Amino acid sequence: MNSVPVTLRSFTALLLRGGTLSAAAPPAARCHSSSHRTVFQFCRTMASTGNNKNNNNNNNSQLLGPNKKGKKQKEPLRIVKTKEHRRKRGDVHGPNTVYLQVVGAGSRDSAASLYLFSEYNRYLFNCGEGTQRLMQEHKLKAARLDNIFLTRLSWQNVGGLSGMILTLKDTGVPQCVLSGPPQLENYLNAIKSFSGPLEDIELLVRPYTEETYTDDTMTVYQVPIFAESRSDGRKPPSQSPASPKRDDGSRDNPDSPGEKRKAARDTSLVVSFICRLHPRKGNFLVAQAKELGLPVGTAAIGRLIADLKNGKSVMYEGKEIRPEQVCTPSDPGPVFIVVECPSDEFLEAVCSNQQLKRHQTGGTEDPAVLVVHMTPESVLKTDQYKEWMERFPSATEHLIINEHACTVHNFRSHKIQAQLNMIHPEIFPELKSYKTKEPQAALHVPNVRAECLLKFQLRPVMEWQRDAIPPCNTEEFVKEASEVPNFLEEVDKCRQISLTDAAEPSEKYPEVVFLGTGSALPMKTRNVSGTLVNISPSQSVLLDCGEGTFGQLCRQYGDDVDETLTKISTVFISHLHADHHTGLIKILYQRERALTTVGKPFSPVYLVAPVQIMTWLNQYHNYCEEILNHINLIPSYFLCDGAEIHKQRMKSFIQALLKKNDLTKFQTCTVRHCKNAFACSFTHQSGWKLAFSGDTMPCQEFVHIGNNATLLIHEATLEDGLEEEALEKRHR
């Protein structure tokens, strides 16, 4: 479901009244044994129970091991048929229908991403966290997505790439090519540390040095943009401060392999893309041809049409027929440009680039019809960037994608949350959005601010299209729910019970916020695993952190998300399936930003996780962006009963974790799921205890560490009747 906050007291009360909570229904759905049934059925219907873990678990099981099929997928039949059809009719020219569509509008909860559609190909520009979820919700099919263009190797742009690759593999895409920074090769190698072999899909990197790519739709030119060195000769800083030396196995030193590879971690490069659609011949006008006496409908017309559409005049019965008499004008192929200028260090390089200059006024190439700017407001408002934009012809459109975007992305999440809010406003608060406080730049060119699903159609008619943007009207959502038979009556009964509970004194803390309850794939109304435990007004623990967890925090807390991030001192990762940990890096980066914003000193989080997570984090740190200074790793096995800890540094980490969170104990145990999978429990000084299972089959070790827990959070992946599948996939 969506973000669901409950206090320990109210959650326990719901459990006592309602019995076991279903994974398909929110806690508030079981308000009373005599009245919960209709509300429960409504919640199941509205939440689309197809989003349950059991429907999505295949992806994750294949993510961590070799694919069981053991042989390479063939090219999908629909693609083969399309190519054969084009060959038969001799169609070697560009597509009839092409449009760009915004997926992520660049807001803080949804990174910038663009989907390009033609009848021959599908493309994606950048793939941040949450991109896959948005494409699934809005039916932007990934089945023919065979090219992904990355403007920069930053987590903002590649955070959703590992999940997307696995989805492409499972849908039968035989090959996917990543274009952009050469370090993408290192990124692919890094994700294999937790994904396992990716044998059923061929992954290729087309670095900017290859420059040109051509397929059935367009030709793409890669334009490298290098940031200027500073006056002291140093490169611009990466997104995070330099990592200090460490004593926990992740030390950087001049002789280590990681230090020698630091040249591969280059944050001074972005890649722009100049895209030119293939020319399209004009259409043959049958009525005009008949008036001129051409033999329409006979075998002789074929050769005449071919010549006329190729721009040649023909003679027929002593009469010259010119192309413009019987054909619409040909389309030479419009040009659009995708540019990222992430900071002022890139400003001069972008504005003086000669390849981009060719498509401006007075340039040697066709002017761009559209320029997409993945550029922050701080750069947009500079005079230099404004002047560069103004050098494009006045007819050029400009699409701005950055944090100033004001749009709803996860429409279905807002809908279900608004409807559940009717049942219990405190447990299901209405979702919020983060609004940047930075003033919007005043631009003097035709520009449009991105919205989720906004289209710019390049063919057949060049125009903006807003018909796909879904309206997000809370009143309509409430009205729809109200029309469900008996729903309002059952809601009233639940509210009466809630009012009775509210009359009893209750502590706000601890508070549990369920950010994600799905599995393997993020779905329309629920994200993958992530649970925030607010221990006190100043401290929080995050239990698992799947892709998109930060976006869920943004939608839960809105403008208060920075304050929430600063309170997270500890993260527990149960195991290394992607749906449990690939949101960690963004949480760490955004937490650093939040600490700076609110004026608090930076300190690493205590990361309790399988030690094998360091293979992934070390590779990302060495080849992509610095990350190791954000964590103090406590390997999960050090918190198991009987574990021997010899290093004083590790003992101090554990003591600091307990003290920071006012805990008397934090325990882990291995569970029956995959290799190196753990559960945890922790006990507060005030006496309450929470146990968290992660993913597991029934497990006696977890029973032991969770004994006498005040609250048990346990996976419920597979419903009754699927016991054999649960056994095979090692789930409950």
Side-chain angles (χ1 to χ4, degrees):
M1 208 66 66
N2 289 314
S3 310
V4 180
V6 291
T7 62
L8 220 55
R9 178 183 179 89
S10 66
F11 196 93
T12 306
L14 288 167
L15 283 169
L16 291 172
R17 268 196 299 274
T20 305
L21 290 173
S22 166
R30 293 186 176 264
C31 286
H32 195 272
S33 57
S34 63
S35 65
H36 76 264
R37 189 168 292 106
T38 301
V39 177
F40 177 62
Q41 290 170 346
F42 162 78
C43 293
R44 288 194 63 133
T45 301
M46 292 298 182
S48 302
T49 55
N51 297 334
N52 285 355
K53 283 187 166 191
N54 51 291
N55 291 333
N56 304 320
N57 202 56
N58 288 335
N59 184 305
N60 201 43
S61 62
Q62 293 179 2
L63 185 66
L64 266 97
N67 191 285
K68 296 178 181 178
K69 297 175 185 176
K71 57 183 180 181
K72 192 171 181 178
Q73 300 258 2
K74 294 181 179 179
E75 192 170 53
L77 183 60
R78 60 183 172 276
I79 297 179
V80 174
K81 286 186 174 181
T82 299
K83 289 182 176 179
E84 287 179 354
H85 181 64
R86 292 189 69 209
R87 275 197 299 269
K88 285 179 181 178
R89 70 184 189 188
D91 187 356
V92 293
H93 290 266
N96 290 311
T97 303
V98 186
Y99 59 79
L100 270 169
Q101 188 162 26
V102 176
V103 183
S107 57
R108 196 169 177 190
D109 68 314
S110 294
S113 56
L114 280 172
Y115 181 73
L116 178 64
F117 170 94
S118 85
E119 61 257 48
Y120 305 144
N121 305 92
R122 311 287 190 274
Y123 313 85
L124 191 64
F125 291 85
N126 288 344
C127 187
E129 283 191 37
T131 301
Q132 182 182 188
R133 183 182 182 190
L134 290 173
M135 290 182 68
Q136 192 271 347
E137 174 173 353
H138 299 302
K139 297 181 171 57
L140 304 178
K141 294 182 180 179
R144 291 174 66 177
L145 187 65
D146 51 11
N147 273 276
I148 301 177
F149 301 100
L150 287 309
T151 56
R152 183 166 57 113
L153 189 54
S154 70
W155 192 258
Q156 190 76 357
N157 293 347
V158 303
L161 192 54
S162 60
M164 181 66 74
I165 287 170
L166 267 296
T167 297
L168 296 178
K169 176 177 77 71
D170 290 343
T171 54
V173 174
Q175 183 187 83
C176 182
V177 182
L178 309 180
S179 299
Q183 293 85 357
L184 287 168
E185 188 76 48
N186 298 325
Y187 172 83
L188 292 178
N189 290 331
I191 66 172
K192 289 176 185 177
S193 65
F194 62 82
S195 72
L198 299 171
E199 296 172 348
D200 285 355
I201 181 170
E202 185 180 9
L203 297 172
L204 302 173
V205 172
R206 185 187 303 112
Y208 71 85
T209 50
E210 294 188 16
E211 291 190 0
T212 306
Y213 163 74
T214 300
D215 59 17
D216 292 339
T217 297
M218 63 182 181
T219 298
V220 181
Y221 304 89
Q222 298 191 62
V223 182
I225 308 286
F226 292 95
E228 285 192 321
S229 296
R230 293 170 176 260
S231 57
D232 57 7
R234 293 183 291 112
K235 292 280 189 181
S238 62
Q239 188 169 355
S240 305
S243 296
K245 293 183 178 181
R246 312 180 65 84
D247 296 322
D248 57 2
S250 57
R251 179 190 297 270
D252 284 342
N253 65 73
D255 299 321
S256 70
E259 187 68 21
K260 292 175 182 178
R261 289 192 295 263
K262 276 190 176 178
R265 188 179 63 214
D266 185 1
T267 59
S268 67
L269 168 69
V270 297
V271 179
S272 297
F273 297 96
I274 300 173
C275 307
R276 180 189 292 276
L277 300 189
H278 295 321
R280 184 74 198 168
K281 295 178 181 178
N283 294 322
F284 184 69
L285 303 173
V286 175
Q288 285 85 335
K290 284 183 177 179
E291 290 179 5
L292 293 172
L294 292 177
V296 176
T298 69
I301 194 65
R303 181 181 57 80
L304 296 174
I305 291 176
D307 286 342
L308 288 164
K309 292 182 75 171
N310 282 325
K312 299 177 182 177
S313 297
V314 299
M315 296 296 296
Y316 184 75
E317 295 183 347
K319 185 190 302 183
E320 181 184 19
I321 308 295
R322 298 187 306 279
E324 60 269 23
Q325 293 178 280
V326 291
C327 294
T328 59
S330 62
D331 179 354
V335 173
F336 69 91
I337 299 173
V338 179
V339 175
E340 180 179 11
C341 186
S343 66
D344 56 4
E345 282 89 5
F346 294 88
L347 189 54
E348 176 62 31
V350 168
C351 296
S352 62
N353 184 271
Q354 292 301 308
Q355 285 178 272
L356 299 177
K357 189 175 182 180
R358 293 172 193 162
H359 298 277
Q360 295 181 312
T361 301
T364 56
E365 302 283 350
D366 291 340
V369 299
L370 173 71
V371 181
V372 179
H373 303 266
M374 297 180 179
T375 301
E377 217 66 25
S378 59
V379 175
L380 282 177
K381 64 176 59 172
T382 63
D383 291 339
Q384 188 174 5
Y385 200 87
K386 287 181 182 179
E387 290 169 3
W388 179 73
M389 293 177 72
E390 291 168 11
R391 289 204 291 269
F392 287 94
S394 59
T396 299
E397 297 283 351
H398 297 264
L399 174 62
I400 311 299
I401 305 183
N402 64 21
E403 280 192 15
H404 262 272
C406 186
T407 180
V408 171
H409 290 86
N410 301 89
F411 169 81
R412 287 294 300 275
S413 289
H414 281 263
K415 178 178 179 179
I416 189 67
Q417 194 83 352
Q419 293 169 335
L420 293 173
N421 178 264
M422 300 168 66
I423 300 171
H424 200 302
E426 292 181 9
I427 290 180
F428 301 104
E430 291 188 4
L431 298 185
K432 303 172 184 176
S433 60
Y434 174 86
K435 298 180 180 65
T436 181
K437 299 173 179 61
E438 185 180 13
Q440 187 168 300
L443 304 176
H444 307 296
V445 295
N447 70 91
V448 174
R449 296 282 173 163
E451 296 179 69
C452 182
L453 301 188
L454 172 69
K455 289 182 183 178
F456 183 77
Q457 184 173 268
L458 293 155
R459 280 182 179 154
V461 178
M462 206 171 296
E463 62 181 5
W464 292 103
Q465 295 181 344
R466 297 180 175 273
D467 54 295
I469 300 174
C472 191
N473 189 323
T474 300
E475 292 180 0
E476 288 296 320
F477 301 155
V478 170
K479 180 182 177 183
E480 178 183 332
S482 302
E483 293 171 354
V484 175
N486 301 321
F487 177 68
L488 292 179
E489 291 83 349
E490 301 297 342
V491 166
D492 286 338
K493 293 177 184 178
C494 283
R495 284 187 169 177
Q496 291 302 317
I497 296 169
S498 300
L499 289 173
T500 302
D501 288 341
E504 302 175 12
S506 177
E507 295 290 334
K508 177 174 174 57
Y509 297 98
E511 179 188 55
V512 180
V513 183
F514 293 97
L515 300 169
T517 57
S519 173
L521 285 172
M523 303 299 287
K524 295 177 185 177
T525 56
R526 63 175 72 200
N527 202 53
V528 291
S529 299
T531 302
L532 183 69
V533 182
N534 293 319
I535 292 175
S536 70
S538 60
Q539 296 302 325
S540 302
V541 174
L542 187 58
L543 304 175
D544 277 338
C545 189
E547 178 190 334
T549 296
F550 173 72
Q552 292 290 88
L553 282 172
C554 278
R555 290 183 280 277
Q556 174 68 24
Y557 291 102
D559 292 337
D560 295 325
V561 69
D562 282 333
E563 193 64 39
T564 302
L565 286 166
T566 64
K567 297 174 185 177
I568 299 175
S569 63
T570 305
V571 179
F572 172 76
I573 301 297
S574 60
H575 60 292
L576 298 188
H577 282 178
D579 57 318
H580 291 258
H581 79 89
T582 51
L584 174 63
I585 288 179
K586 185 157 189 177
I587 287 288
L588 296 177
Y589 284 144
Q590 290 290 334
R591 178 178 174 273
E592 180 193 27
R593 167 177 166 173
L595 287 166
T596 301
T597 299
V598 303
K600 293 183 179 180
F602 176 80
S603 61
V605 300
Y606 295 102
L607 176 62
V608 181
V611 70
Q612 291 77 13
I613 198 172
M614 291 308 299
T615 304
W616 153 243
L617 293 178
N618 274 321
Q619 289 193 55
Y620 190 82
H621 176 86
N622 289 334
Y623 293 125
C624 304
E625 298 174 285
E626 295 184 355
I627 194 66
L628 295 183
N629 64 304
H630 289 260
I631 61 170
N632 286 326
L633 177 71
I634 302 175
S636 297
Y637 60 76
F638 281 153
L639 296 172
C640 292
D641 283 346
E644 295 184 2
I645 306 172
H646 300 292
K647 290 187 176 182
Q648 184 58 41
R649 181 179 176 83
M650 190 56 59
K651 291 179 182 179
S652 67
F653 280 175
I654 295 171
Q655 290 303 312
L657 180 155
L658 296 174
K659 183 178 179 180
K660 186 80 171 174
N661 295 293
D662 296 326
L663 302 177
T664 59
K665 184 180 286 189
F666 195 117
Q667 289 179 281
T668 62
C669 70
T670 56
V671 292
R672 301 169 62 196
H673 184 51
C674 64
K675 191 175 181 180
N676 302 309
F678 292 83
C680 76
S681 70
F682 49 89
T683 306
H684 194 259
Q685 291 175 0
S686 62
W688 60 263
K689 179 178 180 179
L690 185 147
F692 175 70
S693 71
D695 283 355
T696 182
M697 297 172 67
C699 174
Q700 192 60 39
E701 290 83 354
F702 183 52
V703 172
H704 172 68
I705 70 165
N707 191 32
N708 295 321
T710 313
L711 174 65
L712 164 65
I713 301 175
H714 202 293
E715 69 131 300
T717 302
L718 294 153
E719 60 188 278
D720 293 346
L722 296 175
E723 287 80 6
E724 288 186 10
E725 189 174 346
L727 184 64
E728 177 187 349
K729 297 179 178 177
R730 302 179 73 81
H731 274 289
R732 179 72 175 178

